[in-house]
């Protein structure tokens, strides 16, 4: 009977069922998305491993019919990473990278669809100069980790001559390398991941629980009519459970539809450069089944729990009388129990094994559920003491005094989300220092570093980069190594070549002119290495540690060699060894040098860094260009923070949509009341302000409670990780501000339907 009432109760029944289904459906869609994440990550990782091309073995394979020389030509364009590879097949059986149908010839390239779109657009003009290859095809899905990935493969020749190199290798297969070690996450990072899942999923559960209670007052009045024709109390509650079950089942249908729509849109969305193919978002069958069973069951249980204090009599519902005051003691037990579960892990840090996952999840859930239990009591207690004020204030306060529970339910989701977000921000800010290190880069001297390794003359590299648009100054230093033998030396030292002005960037020179040679002895060199800088010693440039030396140039250290002091270069590195001005360098030694150029950029020039990268690519397609920063973060920590950002974005969208649905449901419930007030002459402005106050008061109390619980949870988590407890007040204020902004946006969006409802003809009835 309850299921039939949900669908055959006329327009009112359909609207109520539809609103419930939309609210539940939004939550179900996000739950399905969450269950699909493990499969999406597995698919991405699988495709990433299938195209692995560097073995990191340190050995060079011999040329064969089944080998290909591959070079890393990756670059960055306006903070977007572009994966690039140059290919030189050496036989008919050379392995093809996944996603390619054939090898591109020299001057050709195969690109990802996203890169093709960028290159064809007006914003990709600068990048087109850097990739001067003719596009002959696109990389198929099997060769990409996501639809928005920027990647290309270009044909090349002469790569074998540059073997061995740190970015060039000869391989005979594409796939996972036997020599690559898998990075294991430490306990603190695992704790971060656990917290992200709990914090992001808790608001979803709260919203689903609130959505199944839409239209509760009207439903109870219908149940009173059923009591009048003979239904007993237990039967009435079972019928109410049937109505909730119907809305939840319809919500599952809606949620599946929302998920499928979002799944199709996934390929066109990229958050922090993370994107997935629609086919990757396949929920785990077991987890999807769990959602399908848990949501309807929770809907029935929540409905029966809500009716526990409602007396449904044949002549009405005894809820219009003053309800009994809510008790506080059992509401405090939930957060206290949560703290009790987390307490045993305080001080564990990352050196005592992984945190107990069940205790972490259970403790966090109890603390956040404690917000939903405490908020109705807080709202009821505070609004009971609010009295005098303007007409709009009094209307809002009286409404809250009569139905503080429904107001608190609307705010619960925001409060839980903000409490969890504050705790996460505190945890991230507290442990960030463990995964972030300050660099020694001197950003006043240089902001970029370019490494060239294809025999480009030092003076030419410095001249072209210095003349690039947006480059203020370029300081080029040629570098190499010298050893006591041409092959497998026992002792070796650094070599640096540059003009006097350039050498002053890496050493403290008192006097210098072209033809001078210097030595720096401040490094931690052993006796064998120091002997290489003494007059009469013979050193060999660019010694070989495997294979035959490429440039076996011998040089005898002259007498009268000047000794100079160390100076850190713009990256903070203080070198030792031998320094040469260009004319002092032995003939033939220049062939084994590679150039390092430090660039100082003019930040007022748009795309100054991109112009510098274009010049570097013209000098050497395999040039390594680094942007110097004040700090560096580990890739695992960055990946987890990106995951948090992606998840928080989805939850915020859900929060906004669910709040809007909830607000519309509450306005629909008050349609006749609003019409009555308008008919009696109440100004629309007064009613609009009263609705705003009805939202603002619970939100303010909810955010205050959320901040308290969030700070408490954050402090406990920091204690668990053995990190000093500090409060990042900027994050706390930003989280509460975001929560308030979402509610304000929802209130503004609900004003048009509110104005339509404030008409006297709303009193018309049949």
């Amino acid at each position: 009977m309850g299921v039939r009432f949900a669908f055959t109760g006329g327009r009112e029944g359909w609207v109520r069922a539809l609103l419930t289904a939309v609210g539940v459906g939004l939550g179900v869609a996000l739950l399905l998305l969450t269950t699909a994440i493990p499969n999406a990550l597995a698919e991405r990782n699988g495709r990433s491993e299938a195209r692995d091309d560097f073995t990191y073995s340190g050995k060079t394979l011999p040329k064969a019919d089944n080998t290909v020389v591959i070079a890393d030509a990756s670059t960055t364009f306006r903070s977007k990473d572009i994966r690039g590879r140059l290919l030189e097949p050496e036989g008919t059986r050379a392995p093809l990278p996944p996603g390619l149908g054939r090898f591109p010839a020299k001057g050709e390239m195969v690109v990802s669809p996203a890169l093709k779109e960028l290159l064809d657009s007006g914003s990709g003009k600068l990048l087109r100069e850097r990739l001067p290859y003719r596009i002959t095809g696109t990389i198929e899905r099997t060769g990409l980790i996501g639809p928005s990935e920027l990647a290309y493969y270009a044909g090349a020749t002469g790569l074998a001559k540059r073997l061995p190199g740190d970015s060039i290798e000869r391989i005979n297969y594409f796939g996972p390398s036997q020599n690559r070690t898998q990075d294991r996450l430490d306990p603190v990072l695992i704790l971060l991941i656990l917290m992200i899942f709990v914090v992001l999923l808790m608001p979803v559960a709260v919203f689903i629980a609130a959505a199944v209670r839409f239209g509760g007052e009207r439903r109870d009045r219908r149940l009173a009519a059923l009591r009048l024709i003979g239904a007993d109390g237990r039967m009435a509650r079972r019928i109410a459970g049937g109505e909730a079950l119907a809305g939840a089942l319809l919500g599952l249908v809606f949620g599946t539809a929302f998920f499928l729509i979002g799944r199709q849109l996934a390929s066109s969305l990229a958050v922090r450069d993370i994107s997935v193919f629609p086919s990757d978002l396949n929920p785990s069958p077991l987890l999807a089944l769990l959602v399908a069973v848990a949501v309807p069951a929770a809907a029935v249980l929540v409905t029966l729990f809500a009716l526990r204090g409602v007396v449904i009599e044949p002549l009405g519902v005894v809820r219009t009388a003053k309800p009994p005051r809510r008790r506080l003691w059992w509401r405090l037990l939930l957060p206290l129990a949560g703290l009790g579960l987390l307490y045993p892990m305080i001080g564990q840090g990352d050196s005592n094994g992984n945190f107990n996952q069940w205790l972490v999840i259970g403790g966090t859930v109890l603390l956040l559920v404690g917000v939903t239990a405490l908020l109705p009591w807080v709202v009821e207690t505070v609004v009971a003491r609010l009295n005098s004020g303007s007409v709009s204030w009094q209307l809002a306060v009286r409404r809250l005094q009569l139905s503080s529970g429904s107001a608190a339910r609307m705010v619960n989701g925001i409060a839980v989300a903000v409490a969890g977000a504050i705790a996460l921000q505190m945890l991230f800010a507290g442990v960030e220092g463990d995964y972030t290190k300050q660099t020694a880069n001197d950003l006043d001297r240089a902001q970029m570093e370019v490494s060239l390794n294809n025999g480009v003359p030092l003076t030419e590299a410095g001249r072209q980069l210095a003349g690039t648009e947006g480059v203020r100054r370029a300081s080029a230093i040629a570098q190499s190594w010298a050893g006591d033998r041409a092959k497998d030396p026992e002792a070796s030292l650094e070599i640096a070549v540059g003009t006097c002005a350039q050498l002053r960037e890496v050493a403290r020179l008192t006097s210098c002119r072209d033809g001078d040679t210097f030595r720096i002895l401040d490094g931690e060199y052993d006796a064998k290495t120091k002997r290489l800088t003494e007059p009469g010693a013979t050193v060999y440039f660019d010694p070989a540690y495997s294979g035959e030396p490429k440039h076996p140039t011998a040089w005898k250290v002259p007498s009268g060699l000047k000794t100079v002091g160390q100076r850190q270069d713009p990256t903070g590195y203080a070198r030792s060894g031998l320094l040469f001005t260009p004319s002092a360098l032995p003939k033939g030694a220049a062939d084994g040098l590679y150039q390092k150029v430090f660039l100082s950029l003019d930040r007022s020039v748009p795309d100054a860094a991109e112009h510098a990268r274009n010049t570097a690519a013209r000098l050497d397609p395999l040039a390594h260009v680094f942007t110097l920063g004040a700090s560096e973060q580990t890739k695992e920590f960055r990946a987890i923070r990106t995951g948090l950002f992606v998840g928080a974005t989805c939850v915020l969208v859900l929060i906004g949509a669910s709040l809007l649905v909830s607000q519309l449901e509450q306005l629909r419930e008050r349609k006749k009341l609003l019409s009555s007030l308008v008919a009696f002459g109440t100004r629309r402005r007064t009613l609009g302000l009263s609705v705003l106050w009805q939202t603002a008061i619970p939100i303010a109390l909810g955010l205050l409670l959320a901040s308290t619980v969030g700070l408490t949870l954050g402090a406990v988590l920091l204690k668990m990780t053995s990190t000093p407890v500090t409060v990042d007040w900027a994050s706390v204020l930003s989280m509460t501000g975001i929560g308030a902004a979402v509610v304000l946006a929802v209130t503004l969006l609900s004003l048009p339907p509110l104005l339509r409802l404030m008409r006297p003809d709303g009193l018309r009835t049949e």
Side-chain angles (χ1 to χ4, degrees), residues 496-500 503 512-518 579-585:
V497 182
T499 63
C500 291
L503 291 179
C512 176
R513 64 176 183 272
D514 194 18
D516 285 348
T517 307
F518 308 92
L579 308 178
F580 293 84
T581 51
S583 63
L585 191 68

Side-chain angles (χ1 to χ4, degrees), residues 98-438:
L100 266 64
R102 66 174 183 86
F103 283 105
K106 183 181 179 181
E108 297 179 349
M109 70 175 174
V110 181
V111 299
S112 66
L115 181 57
K116 186 176 188 303
E117 183 180 348
L118 176 60
L119 291 173
D120 292 341
S121 67
S123 60
K125 183 181 177 183
L126 264 177
L127 181 60
R128 201 75 185 87
E129 297 176 12
R130 197 180 314 166
L131 305 177
Y133 311 106
R134 184 168 58 89
I135 298 176
T136 58
T138 56
I139 303 172
E140 296 177 2
R141 175 182 170 279
T142 53
L144 301 171
I145 61 171
S148 67
E149 184 184 20
L150 304 176
Y152 73 92
Y153 290 96
T157 56
L159 294 179
K161 297 177 182 177
R162 299 180 61 171
L163 286 169
D166 58 348
S167 61
I168 305 175
E169 193 168 340
R170 178 181 283 128
I171 59 175
N172 54 15
Y173 75 98
F174 285 89
S177 169
Q178 301 291 332
N179 301 293
R180 174 175 290 184
T181 57
Q182 293 293 327
D183 295 327
R184 294 180 63 86
L185 296 179
D186 63 47
V188 172
L189 292 181
I190 294 175
L191 175 65
L192 278 172
I193 295 172
L194 276 176
M195 286 300 304
I196 287 173
F197 273 98
V198 173
V199 165
L200 295 184
L201 289 181
M202 273 300 297
V204 180
V206 172
F207 276 126
I208 291 177
V212 298
R213 296 180 68 176
F214 286 166
E217 294 184 14
R218 294 194 180 204
R219 176 200 61 206
D220 296 347
R221 287 196 291 272
R222 289 195 311 278
L223 295 177
L226 288 173
R227 291 294 314 277
L228 190 62
I229 60 172
D232 61 21
R234 292 181 64 185
M235 189 183 297
R237 283 170 171 75
R238 288 201 300 274
I239 291 172
E243 283 193 73
L245 179 64
L249 291 174
L250 188 60
L252 285 177
V253 176
F254 274 54
T256 305
F258 293 153
F259 169 73
L260 292 175
I261 293 171
R263 186 171 177 261
Q264 288 304 119
L265 294 175
S267 60
S268 59
L269 296 176
V271 182
R272 292 276 182 97
D273 296 333
I274 299 293
S275 63
V276 295
F277 291 104
S279 57
D280 291 345
L281 287 172
N282 289 324
S284 163
L286 189 61
L287 293 175
L289 180 63
L290 180 62
V291 171
V293 173
V295 170
V300 174
L301 292 175
V302 166
T303 302
L304 296 178
F305 183 76
L307 291 174
R308 75 197 186 286
V310 179
V311 180
I312 303 170
E313 296 292 346
L315 296 180
V317 179
V318 187
R319 185 163 48 192
T320 54
K322 185 177 180 180
R325 289 183 61 82
R326 290 180 167 86
R327 298 181 183 274
L328 177 62
W329 67 269
W330 69 268
R331 301 172 191 273
L332 290 174
L333 291 180
L334 293 173
L336 290 176
L339 291 174
L341 290 178
L342 296 177
Y343 180 78
M345 292 174 288
I346 286 180
Q348 181 172 321
D350 61 358
S351 58
N352 296 313
N354 289 335
F355 296 93
N356 187 302
Q357 297 183 9
W358 296 111
L359 289 181
V360 170
I361 294 172
T364 306
V365 167
L366 284 175
L367 266 172
L368 295 180
V369 169
V371 174
T372 67
L374 285 168
L375 189 56
W377 180 87
V378 171
V379 173
E380 180 188 72
T381 304
V382 172
V383 299
R385 291 165 171 75
L386 300 177
N387 290 309
S388 60
S390 62
V391 175
S392 61
W393 175 266
Q394 291 187 57
L395 284 171
V397 168
R398 186 60 184 148
R399 179 67 191 182
L400 289 173
Q401 288 172 345
L402 287 174
S403 59
S404 60
S406 59
R409 280 198 303 274
M410 177 180 167
V411 179
N412 268 336
I414 282 284
V416 169
V418 170
I422 289 174
L424 267 181
Q425 286 292 345
M426 283 182 65
L427 182 56
F428 266 99
V431 303
E432 186 175 17
D434 297 334
Y435 303 97
T436 306
K437 67 175 183 179
Q438 298 299 314

Side-chain angles (χ1 to χ4, degrees), residues 28-29 41 69 142 145 175 187 228 306 317 418 432 465 479 530 570 664 681 708 740 765:
V28 168
L41 293 177
V69 181
T142 53
I145 61 171
L228 190 62
V317 179
V418 170
E432 186 175 17
L465 284 166
Q479 300 183 156
K530 285 186 177 180
L664 294 177
T708 304
T765 186

Side-chain angles (χ1 to χ4, degrees), residues 29-72:
L30 196 58
L31 288 177
L32 289 175
L33 176 64
T34 305
T35 62
I37 287 175
N39 184 70
L41 293 177
E43 291 290 332
R44 282 172 61 93
N45 291 337
R47 289 195 297 272
S48 177
E49 289 184 355
R51 71 182 187 184
D52 276 354
D53 40 29
F54 283 89
T55 62
Y56 304 98
S57 64
K59 300 178 181 179
T60 301
L61 288 176
K63 180 180 178 180
D65 190 45
N66 65 338
T67 58
V68 58
V69 181
I70 190 162
D72 184 359

